[in-house]
Amino acid sequence: NVSVRKGEWLFGKGFGSKQPLPFSSTVIINAGQKIMGHKKKTSLKATLQSQQARLKNKQKATHAAEAAEVKGKRKGKGKAPPLRPTIPFTPTDKILLIGEGNFSFAHALIIDPPSSLEHLPPSNITATAYDSEQECYDKYPEARSNVNTLRERGAEILFGVDATKLEKCSALKARRFDRVVWNFPHAGKGITDQDRNILSNQMLILGFLRSVVNYLVEGPVPTSDLPKKRKRPADDDDDEGDVIDDATDEDIGASSPSTAHPTRGKVLITLRNVPPYSVWRVYPGDINCLPLTFTYRDVPRLAKTPPKPTSLGNPLNPNYKLLRSFVFHRNMWKGYEHRMTKGERAHGQGTTGEGGEDRTWEFCLKD
C-alpha cells in the first residue's frame, strides 16, 4: 500500500495514460509497477526503518505503563486492609456481665448491638451489679429505665453480686458462660493513699479471677486467626510467645471469633490508661509488698503470674493465658456510659476516665 498525494503522477501498466490524481489516495502497486512523483524519493528501506522505529517506541511506552502498574501493586501489597473494631462476642455466646453499674453496656448489647450480634438472644445475657436494686437506682437514675427494658426483652438482671464471691450468688449456681466481662473494674473505696488504693484494686481483680474459674465453659484453648505481633520492652517478664497485642490500633480484619469449634470460656477485662488504672503495678511475688507506679499493661501479669497465697488456708490463684488485647470502642456500644463506682453522688457527675485509651484484655485458663 502506498499513499499518493493529490497532483502526483502515476505511470505504468494498469494505470493507462499519464494522468494526475485529483485526490489523495492509497493505491495497490503490483510487482513491476512504478510510482513517479516528486524528485525526492523515499526508499522502501527508509519507510521500513521509520515504521520499525514507531513500533519500537510504541512497545517502549506499553512496557513502561506495565512496569508502572506492577510497581504500584507491589507498593500497595504491604499495606494493611482497612481496620475494623473488634467485637469479642458471637450470636451464640452465653455472656455474664460483671459490675454493670447503670446497665448501659447490657442495654447497648441487647437493644442496639453491632450488626454481627443482631441475632444474639437477650436470654443469653446475665447482667449483674454489686449494689442492691435500690442502691443502684439511687446511684444511677437512668439505671431503672435500662433495667426495665432489659427485663422486658428477656435478659436476666441480678443485684447484690460480689465479683470476688460469685459462688455466693444462688442464681449462678452450676452455670457456665462463654464470656465473662468486666468493664473498668474498680473497688470504689475512696482510699486517698495511692499505694493502699492500688493494692485494694489488685486484690479485687485477683479475687474475681479466682472466683470466676468455676463459671467458665470447659473446652480446648481458643486459637486466633489474627496476626501475631510482639511489641514488648526488653525487660518484660512475659513468658507467652503467642500474645496478640495490637498496641496501636484494632485487630486487623477481626470481628468475632469463630464458632465452628467451641472452646473454653474467656474472661474480658477492660481498663483505661489513665489513673487509677494506669498505676496498678502488679507483682509476681508477695501481694502485700507496696506497689509502685507502672503502666496499665502490667495488669495482665496479675492474671498470668498471680502471687502465691499469703497464708496456708487460702486457695492457690489460678493461672490465665493472655489471648489478645484490643482497643475498646465506646461508640460501638450505643448509649454506653462509663460511670464512677460512686455514681451520681460523686460531685453530681458520675463519669470518669476522660482521655487516654480504653483496652480490653482477653484471657482463658491455662491447662
Side-chain angles (χ1 to χ4, degrees), residues 87-237:
I87 309 299
F89 311 113
T90 72
T92 60
D93 284 341
K94 292 188 179 298
I95 304 170
L96 174 62
L97 302 178
I98 300 295
E100 266 296 272
N102 66 354
F103 291 88
S104 61
F105 185 77
H107 188 275
L109 187 58
I110 293 175
I111 305 305
D112 199 358
S115 58
S116 62
L117 299 178
E118 288 178 352
H119 301 293
L120 174 67
S123 58
N124 280 20
I125 307 298
T126 299
T128 72
Y130 176 76
D131 300 307
S132 67
E133 187 164 358
Q134 190 56 51
E135 286 174 334
C136 178
Y137 298 157
D138 290 342
K139 283 185 178 181
Y140 317 105
E142 72 280 9
R144 186 186 298 273
S145 173
N146 289 339
V147 168
N148 289 338
T149 301
L150 292 170
R151 283 174 169 165
E152 289 172 2
R153 292 297 184 95
E156 182 179 24
I157 307 297
L158 301 175
F159 292 94
V161 178
D162 186 340
T164 66
K165 300 174 182 178
L166 295 175
E167 64 279 1
K168 291 190 175 183
C169 179
S170 58
L172 296 178
K173 188 176 181 179
R175 295 173 61 184
R176 291 184 180 269
F177 298 87
D178 300 292
R179 305 286 188 277
V180 179
V181 183
W182 197 353
N183 293 324
F184 308 102
H186 193 271
K189 293 182 177 180
I191 301 174
T192 55
D193 181 79
Q194 182 178 352
D195 288 338
R196 288 177 57 221
N197 186 41
I198 293 170
L199 184 58
S200 69
N201 284 291
Q202 291 175 333
M203 296 297 290
L204 176 70
I205 293 180
L206 264 180
F208 164 63
L209 293 174
R210 187 167 53 243
S211 179
V212 77
V213 168
N214 294 324
Y215 299 92
L216 297 172
V217 168
E218 296 178 337
V221 176
T223 58
S224 177
D225 297 329
L226 300 175
K228 297 179 181 179
K229 296 186 279 186
R230 293 274 301 171
K231 293 185 179 179
R232 303 288 194 189
D235 60 347
D236 194 338
D237 62 0

Side-chain angles (χ1 to χ4, degrees), residues 151-352:
R151 283 174 169 165
E152 289 172 2
R153 292 297 184 95
E156 182 179 24
I157 307 297
L158 301 175
F159 292 94
V161 178
D162 186 340
T164 66
K165 300 174 182 178
L166 295 175
E167 64 279 1
K168 291 190 175 183
C169 179
S170 58
L172 296 178
K173 188 176 181 179
R175 295 173 61 184
R176 291 184 180 269
F177 298 87
D178 300 292
R179 305 286 188 277
V180 179
V181 183
W182 197 353
N183 293 324
F184 308 102
H186 193 271
K189 293 182 177 180
I191 301 174
T192 55
D193 181 79
Q194 182 178 352
D195 288 338
R196 288 177 57 221
N197 186 41
I198 293 170
L199 184 58
S200 69
N201 284 291
Q202 291 175 333
M203 296 297 290
L204 176 70
I205 293 180
L206 264 180
F208 164 63
L209 293 174
R210 187 167 53 243
S211 179
V212 77
V213 168
N214 294 324
Y215 299 92
L216 297 172
V217 168
E218 296 178 337
V221 176
T223 58
S224 177
D225 297 329
L226 300 175
K228 297 179 181 179
K229 296 186 279 186
R230 293 274 301 171
K231 293 185 179 179
R232 303 288 194 189
D235 60 347
D236 194 338
D237 62 0
D238 179 14
D239 60 353
E240 305 269 354
D242 56 352
V243 174
I244 302 209
D245 181 15
D246 55 343
T248 57
D249 218 317
E250 301 84 352
D251 288 330
I252 297 175
S255 57
S256 299
S258 172
T259 57
H261 305 287
T263 60
R264 65 185 59 180
K266 300 177 183 179
V267 175
L268 294 94
I269 299 177
T270 300
L271 300 171
R272 169 159 275 225
N273 65 339
V274 295
Y277 314 111
S278 60
V279 292
W280 292 1
R281 174 59 166 130
V282 175
Y283 280 83
D286 187 359
I287 194 69
N288 290 319
C289 65
L290 287 177
L292 300 173
T293 300
F294 204 64
T295 72
Y296 80 139
R297 284 183 173 281
D298 288 291
V299 172
R301 295 185 187 179
L302 190 60
K304 295 188 294 180
T305 54
K308 296 179 181 179
T310 55
S311 63
L312 295 176
N314 292 337
L316 289 174
N317 293 309
N319 290 88
Y320 286 83
K321 175 184 176 67
L322 174 60
L323 298 173
R324 61 177 176 174
S325 75
F326 50 88
V327 176
F328 176 87
H329 292 271
R330 299 190 192 195
N331 59 2
M332 286 293 298
W333 310 102
K334 297 177 182 179
Y336 170 64
E337 296 177 292
H338 176 191
R339 305 301 299 276
M340 290 182 69
T341 307
K342 292 182 179 181
E344 290 289 346
R345 292 178 294 182
H347 309 294
Q349 298 298 322
T351 59
T352 186

